[in-house]
């Protein structure tokens, strides 16, 4: 069922109809009745680091910035860039964009007329419809899994660092495979209980047996200076792709990963010092 979550979020930007951005956590309206005439992909986060390898003359993009107009939506690896319009969610203390109702961080204000919204924090739906809430952990899993799948397919990249908006590295992720099928009978509900912390009740799609498509990943937590040497090595490796999310979301993702690992038999929880996790996609 979470495939529909990702499809709705991405495809709703291309429908050329009015859409509404909701806070994924509480359902408050963040951007109301916005129609996008252009939906354009952005280059990868570290594209500027490679310019010297591409060009034999000074960086031609050094003074260029990408600012979306009112009818534009620029799509990055983990975020959308929009013109600010009449939205006013800026925190007085800094450039963070926060939800007025639940105070969740939704993104960042990059300039006076450009706002970045993270894909894990907003739910985009057609204006003529009504808000359909999705359990938080299911939404995070779906969006992160989709990011991993898209980047691994487009760039043949299978190692990722999960970074917070504070610049800290929270998790190292190694995509093991993307064609895992999880099968669970109704009589086995132990793994369901692992997700009740987020209010999720994951139910089978139909019949006595539930099946879900999933990606399988290896991961290492990096909080409290754990795995620092490995994290530093990955930081300097051009084959590792950084993904940036709000710091609180990084912690949520780490908890989701840990809960999934503990639901596995002890013999299947680790592989070459990495922990194993299957994420719904």
């Amino acid at each position: 069922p979470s495939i529909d979550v990702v499809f709705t979020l991405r495809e709703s930007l291309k429908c050329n109809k009015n859409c509404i951005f909701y806070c994924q956590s509480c359902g408050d309206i963040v951007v109301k009745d916005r129609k996008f005439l252009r939906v354009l992909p952005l280059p990868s986060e570290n594209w500027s680091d490679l310019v010297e390898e591409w060009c034999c003359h000074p960086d031609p993009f050094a003074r260029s910035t990408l600012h979306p107009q009112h009818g534009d939506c620029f799509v990055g690896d983990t975020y959308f860039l929009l013109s600010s319009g009449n939205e006013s969610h800026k925190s007085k203390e800094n450039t963070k964009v926060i939800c007025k109702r639940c105070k969740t961080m939704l993104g960042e204000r990059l300039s006076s007329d450009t706002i970045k919204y993270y894909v894990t924090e907003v739910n985009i739906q057609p204006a003529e419809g009504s808000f359909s809430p999705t359990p938080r952990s299911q939404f995070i899993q779906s969006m992160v899994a989709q990011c991993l799948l898209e980047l691994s397919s487009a760039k043949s990249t299978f190692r990722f660092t999960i970074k917070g908006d504070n610049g800290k590295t929270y998790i190292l992720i190694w995509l093991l495979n993307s064609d895992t099928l999880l099968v669970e009978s109704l009589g086995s509900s132990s793994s369901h209980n692992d997700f009740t912390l987020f209010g999720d009740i994951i139910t089978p799609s139909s019949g006595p047996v539930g099946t879900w498509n999933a990606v399988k990943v290896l991961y290492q937590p990096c909080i409290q200076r754990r795995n620092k040497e490995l994290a530093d090595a990955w930081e300097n490796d051009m084959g590792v792709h950084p993904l940036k999310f709000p710091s609180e979301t990084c912690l949520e993702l780490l908890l989701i990963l840990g809960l999934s690992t503990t639901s596995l038999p002890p013999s299947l929880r680790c592989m070459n010092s990495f922990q194993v996790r299957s994420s719904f996609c």
Side-chain angles (χ1 to χ4, degrees), residues 18-138:
N18 288 352
C19 61
I20 298 177
F21 283 52
Y22 295 91
C23 170
Q24 202 284 320
S25 296
C26 71
D28 194 31
I29 293 179
V30 178
V31 179
K32 186 175 183 180
D33 289 341
R34 183 73 69 91
K35 179 189 291 186
F36 298 112
L37 305 178
R38 298 193 305 171
V39 179
L40 304 174
L42 287 169
S44 300
E45 288 288 292
N46 59 348
W47 71 273
S48 58
D49 298 336
L50 303 176
V51 170
E52 291 183 0
E53 304 295 330
W54 299 339
C55 301
C56 58
H57 48 80
D59 183 358
F61 309 109
R63 297 183 179 180
S64 301
T65 55
L66 297 172
H67 293 296
Q69 302 301 312
H70 182 72
D72 295 341
C73 178
F74 294 167
V75 183
D77 291 340
T78 62
Y79 61 86
F80 309 111
L81 291 187
L82 310 179
S83 63
S84 58
N86 297 322
E87 290 78 40
S88 57
H89 297 265
K90 181 179 177 181
S91 169
K92 295 181 180 179
E93 291 77 17
N94 49 43
T95 59
K96 291 183 178 180
V97 177
I98 60 176
C99 175
K100 293 179 179 179
R101 179 189 292 173
C102 68
K103 308 305 180 185
T104 296
M105 177 183 172
L106 305 174
E108 305 170 50
R109 184 176 290 272
L110 303 184
S111 68
S112 60
D113 57 357
T114 302
I115 293 181
K116 171 197 287 188
Y117 291 106
Y118 288 103
V119 297
T120 53
E121 311 308 315
V122 294
N123 194 333
I124 305 172
Q125 298 190 14
E128 62 270 16
S130 58
F131 177 69
S132 301
T134 303
R136 178 67 178 160
S137 72
Q138 184 181 341

Side-chain angles (χ1 to χ4, degrees), residues 176 216 218 220 267-276:
L176 195 59
K216 182 175 287 186
L218 307 178
Q220 289 278 24
S267 61
L268 300 178
R269 294 177 185 176
C270 295
M271 179 178 177
N272 296 338
S273 78
F274 279 79
Q275 298 180 64
V276 181

Side-chain angles (χ1 to χ4, degrees), residues 1-278:
S2 52
I3 293 177
D4 296 333
V5 176
V6 177
F7 177 83
T8 300
L9 185 60
R10 295 286 186 179
E11 294 301 317
S12 60
L13 294 169
K14 303 177 183 179
C15 64
N16 202 31
K17 296 181 180 179
N18 288 352
C19 61
I20 298 177
F21 283 52
Y22 295 91
C23 170
Q24 202 284 320
S25 296
C26 71
D28 194 31
I29 293 179
V30 178
V31 179
K32 186 175 183 180
D33 289 341
R34 183 73 69 91
K35 179 189 291 186
F36 298 112
L37 305 178
R38 298 193 305 171
V39 179
L40 304 174
L42 287 169
S44 300
E45 288 288 292
N46 59 348
W47 71 273
S48 58
D49 298 336
L50 303 176
V51 170
E52 291 183 0
E53 304 295 330
W54 299 339
C55 301
C56 58
H57 48 80
D59 183 358
F61 309 109
R63 297 183 179 180
S64 301
T65 55
L66 297 172
H67 293 296
Q69 302 301 312
H70 182 72
D72 295 341
C73 178
F74 294 167
V75 183
D77 291 340
T78 62
Y79 61 86
F80 309 111
L81 291 187
L82 310 179
S83 63
S84 58
N86 297 322
E87 290 78 40
S88 57
H89 297 265
K90 181 179 177 181
S91 169
K92 295 181 180 179
E93 291 77 17
N94 49 43
T95 59
K96 291 183 178 180
V97 177
I98 60 176
C99 175
K100 293 179 179 179
R101 179 189 292 173
C102 68
K103 308 305 180 185
T104 296
M105 177 183 172
L106 305 174
E108 305 170 50
R109 184 176 290 272
L110 303 184
S111 68
S112 60
D113 57 357
T114 302
I115 293 181
K116 171 197 287 188
Y117 291 106
Y118 288 103
V119 297
T120 53
E121 311 308 315
V122 294
N123 194 333
I124 305 172
Q125 298 190 14
E128 62 270 16
S130 58
F131 177 69
S132 301
T134 303
R136 178 67 178 160
S137 72
Q138 184 181 341
F139 191 86
I140 293 176
Q141 289 181 83
S142 297
M143 296 315 304
V144 173
Q146 184 69 12
C147 290
L148 300 182
L149 288 174
E150 290 181 357
L151 289 169
S152 64
S153 175
K155 305 177 185 297
S156 296
T157 298
F158 303 97
R159 290 182 296 161
F160 305 87
T161 55
I162 304 299
K163 293 177 171 289
D165 60 279
N166 55 8
K168 294 182 180 180
T169 299
Y170 285 80
I171 314 170
L172 308 178
I173 289 183
W174 198 325
L175 179 60
L176 195 59
N177 61 51
S178 57
D179 57 356
T180 298
L181 183 66
L182 299 183
V183 180
E184 185 175 19
S185 67
L186 286 176
S188 176
S189 59
S190 58
S191 62
H192 294 168
N193 296 332
D194 291 336
F195 294 90
T196 55
L197 180 62
F198 294 95
D200 293 27
I201 302 177
I202 301 175
T203 56
S205 54
S206 63
V209 175
T211 60
W212 299 272
N213 293 319
V215 297
K216 182 175 287 186
V217 301
L218 307 178
Y219 71 97
Q220 289 278 24
C222 296
I223 58 175
Q224 298 178 342
R225 300 181 65 83
R226 294 177 62 183
N227 301 300
K228 186 178 186 305
E229 291 185 5
L230 182 59
D232 290 342
W234 281 33
E235 186 74 26
N236 298 318
D237 191 330
M238 293 300 293
V240 178
H241 194 86
L243 295 176
K244 182 180 177 182
F245 298 101
S247 299
E248 290 295 326
T249 300
C250 294
L251 292 174
E252 287 181 88
L253 177 60
L254 184 57
L255 182 56
I256 292 169
L257 291 168
L259 291 173
S260 175
T261 299
T262 57
S263 70
L264 295 173
S267 61
L268 300 178
R269 294 177 185 176
C270 295
M271 179 178 177
N272 296 338
S273 78
F274 279 79
Q275 298 180 64
V276 181
R277 193 264 190 265
S278 292

